[in-house]
Amino acid sequence: EAAVTQSPRNKVAVTGGKVTLSCNQTNNHNNMYWYRQDTGHGLRLIHYSYGAGSTEKGDIPDGYKASRPSQENFSLILELATPSQTSVYFCASGDLGEQYFGPGTRLTVL
Amino acid sequence: TQTVSQSDAHVTVFEGDSVELRCNYSYGGSIYLSWYIQHHGRGLQFLLKYYSGNPVVQGVNGFEAEFSKSDSSFHLRKASVHWSDSAVYFCAARNYGGSGNKLIFGTGTLLSVKP
């Protein structure tokens, strides 16, 4: 079965601090995605990747960077965290019209 | 602008009832359509998808969806719901051949199944 894992599962950060969210997939999918989910906004795409070494901006990339060092790993980086980035973050991998999601990371920025 | 709309924010039914969750899309050309389920505190799980062929597609746990080009719809149905079907359901679309392999998600429908 498809497997996407995320770490940490919960994170409390301070404003201005650096946060790195990690994602690992064992599906051998080329494409990986980072979303955030907020009440009233549904799922919004932050960054995505076509494969190792590639990152692309999604619909709301401001304040976020991404890194895809390998087929399996895709990180989301908040260089200077702000309270507006408090959210639940989901990583996904997939091809065509089918994506497999991780369990999510709940990030609180104080 | 390509959109996916789910007109019902919340649907409540009783266990054993049938249910239909609605999804409409606005896309040009060939399209992948899919449904996902999200239980409270969990990630989204893929249920089913349609690209071509038989417009009625079967998914896991007795779910099915029907594609209609004329109505621009991809409604999800289940003949007899169980309490464990209580969750948020998301419809998603991807323009085949479009850039970015990106899915566009609807805002979700919360399905509450009462005993």
Side-chain angles (χ1 to χ4, degrees):
Chain A
E1 186 177 326
V4 179
T5 56
Q6 295 181 231
S7 63
R9 294 295 312 279
N10 290 280
K11 173 74 177 179
V12 178
V14 296
T15 298
K18 181 176 181 179
V19 177
T20 300
L21 306 183
S22 300
C23 178
N24 178 275
Q25 56 114 348
T26 58
N27 309 319
N28 199 32
H29 288 142
N30 290 323
N31 303 311
M32 294 186 74
Y33 310 83
W34 275 106
Y35 298 89
R36 60 178 287 176
Q37 186 175 37
D38 304 283
T39 303
H41 290 280
L43 278 164
R44 293 183 289 175
L45 181 65
I46 306 169
H47 284 288
Y48 60 100
S49 168
Y50 293 115
S54 92
T55 60
E56 304 290 335
K57 293 180 179 179
D59 300 320
I60 53 162
D62 292 346
Y64 302 93
K65 292 183 180 179
S67 173
R68 182 86 182 271
S70 65
Q71 179 83 338
E72 296 79 18
N73 295 295
F74 190 37
S75 297
L76 185 68
I77 303 151
L78 291 68
E79 295 278 5
L80 295 170
T82 68
S84 66
Q85 293 175 314
T86 293
S87 186
V88 180
Y89 292 84
F90 288 100
C91 175
S93 74
D95 295 310
L96 301 178
E98 191 171 332
Q99 292 185 9
Y100 293 90
F101 286 76
T105 294
R106 182 172 296 277
L107 173 65
T108 302
V109 183
L110 301 175
Chain B
T1 304
Q2 299 163 334
T3 61
V4 175
S5 63
Q6 295 179 246
S7 54
D8 299 315
H10 193 180
V11 173
T12 301
V13 297
F14 288 95
E15 198 165 23
D17 285 351
S18 62
V19 70
E20 178 177 87
L21 305 181
R22 294 180 293 183
C23 173
N24 292 89
Y25 63 90
S26 65
Y27 266 82
S30 299
I31 187 170
Y32 283 100
L33 292 159
S34 48
W35 277 96
Y36 293 78
I37 180 174
Q38 184 180 32
H39 287 104
H40 182 69
R42 307 279 297 273
L44 279 71
Q45 290 178 269
F46 171 77
L47 273 181
L48 48 76
K49 71 177 179 183
Y50 170 82
Y51 170 60
S52 65
N54 189 335
V56 179
V57 292
Q58 306 294 325
V60 297
N61 295 332
F63 286 98
E64 68 174 30
E66 182 167 5
F67 169 73
S68 171
K69 187 173 183 178
S70 61
D71 293 340
S72 298
S73 68
F74 189 55
H75 301 329
L76 182 71
R77 300 189 296 244
K78 187 169 183 179
S80 177
V81 296
H82 186 263
W83 64 267
S84 62
D85 293 325
S86 295
V88 180
Y89 291 79
F90 291 93
C91 181
R94 180 194 163 217
N95 203 8
Y96 180 73
S99 64
N101 295 303
K102 298 188 293 182
L103 289 180
I104 305 298
F105 285 90
T107 51
T109 297
L110 172 63
L111 175 64
S112 296
V113 180
K114 292 188 172 182

